Amino acid sequence: MTALQFDHVTKRFGKVVALDDVSLEIADHEILALVGPSGCGKSTLLRSIAGIHPVDGGTIRLGDRVVDDGRVQLPPERRRVGLVFQEHALFPHLSVADNVGFGVRDDTATARSYEMLELVGMTDYAERFPHELSGGERQRVALARALAPRPELMLLDEPFASLDTNLRARVRDDVVEILRSTRTPAVFVTHDQHDALAVGDRIAVLRGGRVVQVGTPVEVFHRPVDRFVASFMGEASYVPFADAADVSGLADDLGDPAAVAPAADRALMLRPDDIVLEPGDGAVVEHAEFRGTVWCYTVLLANGARVKSLRNHLEPVEVGTRVRAVLRPGHHPVIVDG
Ligand code: ADP
Ligand code: MG
C-alpha cells in the first residue's frame, strides 16, 4: 500500500510553475523528507496534498482514494491529513486540551485529547493556554492536535524553523519517534539538510518545482545525481578531472579518467571526510577553520584546485604546511558536472 501518490502533478500560480510534473510515492509508515531551497515548491506540494488549493494537472492519491485529479477535488476536511506548520497556529483562546481535541468531532474528543497529550509528554500542561507555553511546547501541542483525529498522513512544513538549535534537534527527534510509534506516514518539509538526513527514510530533493532526486539519505548524500544535489546535501569540494593526480590515490580509484569521463567538463566531488592529510609535498594548507571536535583545512593542490579535509582537533596542522592530500581508503569520489 502507498500512503501518498503524486502522478505527474503540476501547479501554476500565473506564470510561475510551482510544481512541474511531480511524480512521487510514499509507502505506508514511511517518513519522506522533502528538501530544497526557498521557493522550490515545498509548501505548494504540501498544500496540494492538504487540498488548500487545486492542482492544474496530474493526480494525487491518498491511500486508494483519488483526492485531486482535476475533476474530483476532495475538500481539506475529508482528506484525513494532519498539518503542522512553522507558525504553530493554536487557538489562543482555547486551553491546550481543547486545542488538541478540537478536530475530533465526536464525544471521544476529551479522552482522545488527553491520550495525545500523554503521547507528546504534555499532560501537565492541559489547562494552560498557548501563550503560557514555550516554542517547543507549542510545537508538541500542535503535533498532538494534528494527530488527534487519526490522520492517514502527516504533513509538517518546516515545523522547527522557529526553535533554537539545541531544542530543535530534541523536539525533532521526539516528533519522529511519535510518528513512528503511531505508524503515521509523513512528509517532512525542511530547507535544512541535517534535518533531512536525520529524519527521512527517504529524501526527495526539489528544485524549481521539479523532483531532481529521491533516495535514502545515504544515497542522496553519497551518490547525488548532480552538483546541485551534492552541494545542497553537504559540504564538498570539486576537483576537475585534469587535477585528479594531485590527490594521492584518486587517479588509482578512478582507473583511467579518460574512460570514466569522456566529457572534459566533469569534476570529482569530494566530501571533507574523504581527504586525509599526510606529511609530503604537492599541496599546501591554505586555511584552517576550527569546528570544535574537528579542524577543517582548505588545501591548495598543485594545479590550483582546492579540497577540504577534516582532522581531529588533537592533531592540528599549521597553515602553510606542505602536505600530501590522500583519498581516504574506502571513500570513492563521485563524478558530477563540472
Ligand atoms: P517553498 O515552500 O519551497 O519555499 P513555495 O511552495 O512556497 O516554496 O513557492 C513556490 C513558488 O510558487 C514560488 O515561486 C512562490 O513565489 C510561488 N507561490 C507560492 N504560493 C503562491 C501563491 N499563493 N500565489 C502566487 N505565487 C505563489
Ligand atoms: Mg515553504
Side-chain angles (χ1 to χ4, degrees):
M1 259 288 273
T2 51
L4 171 73
Q5 195 178 5
F6 262 57
D7 212 4
H8 299 289
V9 173
T10 297
K11 174 67 188 173
R12 293 183 203 91
F13 295 106
K15 286 208 177 78
V16 176
V17 185
L19 296 179
D20 187 1
D21 196 27
V22 171
S23 294
L24 201 61
E25 263 188 27
I26 299 181
D28 260 349
H29 318 311
E30 187 177 34
I31 297 179
L32 181 82
L34 182 65
V35 295
S38 181
C40 71
K42 303 182 296 296
S43 294
T44 301
L45 194 144
L46 286 204
R47 293 202 187 100
S48 303
I49 300 169
I52 292 165
H53 53 223
V55 295
D56 297 308
T59 305
I60 303 175
R61 287 188 185 78
L62 286 167
D64 52 11
R65 300 176 302 154
V66 172
V67 297
D68 193 346
D69 67 356
R71 287 172 298 121
V72 179
Q73 255 150 24
L74 227 55
E77 64 276 12
R78 291 186 46 208
R79 295 198 181 194
R80 301 193 59 96
V81 297
L83 297 168
V84 179
F85 294 117
Q86 175 183 344
E87 62 291 350
H88 20 69
L90 299 176
F91 302 114
H93 58 289
L94 292 184
S95 70
V96 163
D98 289 343
N99 261 288
V100 175
F102 187 83
V104 182
R105 305 276 165 76
D106 57 37
D107 58 9
T108 64
T110 307
R112 182 72 182 155
S113 169
Y114 276 83
E115 191 186 332
M116 290 300 101
L117 286 174
E118 169 131 33
L119 183 69
V120 301
M122 291 291 293
T123 310
D124 293 346
Y125 298 75
E127 299 310 317
R128 289 205 196 176
F129 285 85
H131 72 271
E132 298 171 310
L133 304 176
S134 71
E137 289 160 357
R138 279 201 287 265
Q139 283 309 67
R140 282 172 214 266
V141 175
L143 178 72
R145 186 175 68 176
L147 283 169
R150 297 188 168 82
E152 287 171 17
L153 178 71
M154 188 66 99
L155 306 175
L156 304 108
D157 197 350
E158 312 219 12
F160 315 124
S162 63
L163 307 181
D164 58 43
T165 318
N166 288 329
L167 181 64
R168 177 193 164 128
R170 210 178 71 222
V171 178
R172 178 193 73 197
D173 294 345
D174 288 354
V175 166
V176 169
E177 200 185 307
I178 289 163
L179 292 172
R180 294 211 185 282
S181 71
T182 53
R183 299 175 73 77
T184 311
V187 185
F188 197 121
V189 165
T190 174
H191 63 264
D192 182 303
Q193 70 271 33
H194 301 110
D195 281 349
L197 292 170
V199 308
D201 293 313
R202 286 186 307 150
I203 296 176
V205 185
L206 210 57
R207 180 189 194 184
R210 289 183 150 262
V211 175
V212 287
Q213 186 167 8
V214 184
T216 63
V218 170
E219 282 165 357
V220 174
F221 187 81
H222 287 296
R223 294 200 296 283
V225 292
D226 61 19
R227 190 160 171 164
F228 169 79
V229 175
S231 308
F232 192 81
M233 294 314 299
E235 195 174 14
S237 315
Y238 300 89
V239 175
F241 259 94
D243 301 332
D246 286 356
V247 175
S248 194
L250 189 49
D252 306 341
D253 191 88
L254 290 172
D256 176 8
V260 186
D265 60 352
R266 310 208 84 190
L268 302 163
M269 180 202 79
L270 296 164
R271 300 281 187 203
D273 62 314
D274 288 339
I275 300 295
V276 209
L277 303 182
E278 289 183 355
D281 218 358
V284 63
V285 175
E286 196 179 47
H287 180 72
E289 181 191 319
F290 184 50
R291 296 190 178 171
T293 51
V294 293
W295 284 92
C296 182
Y297 295 103
T298 305
V299 178
L300 180 64
L301 303 177
N303 271 344
R306 288 178 175 79
V307 292
K308 289 194 172 184
S309 170
L310 295 182
R311 195 175 165 94
N312 191 287
H313 68 110
L314 295 172
E315 302 159 352
V317 183
E318 298 259 327
V319 170
T321 307
R322 300 201 64 79
V323 291
R324 201 161 70 95
V326 179
L327 183 68
R328 195 186 291 275
H331 287 228
H332 303 287
V334 173
I335 300 160
V336 294
D337 293 334

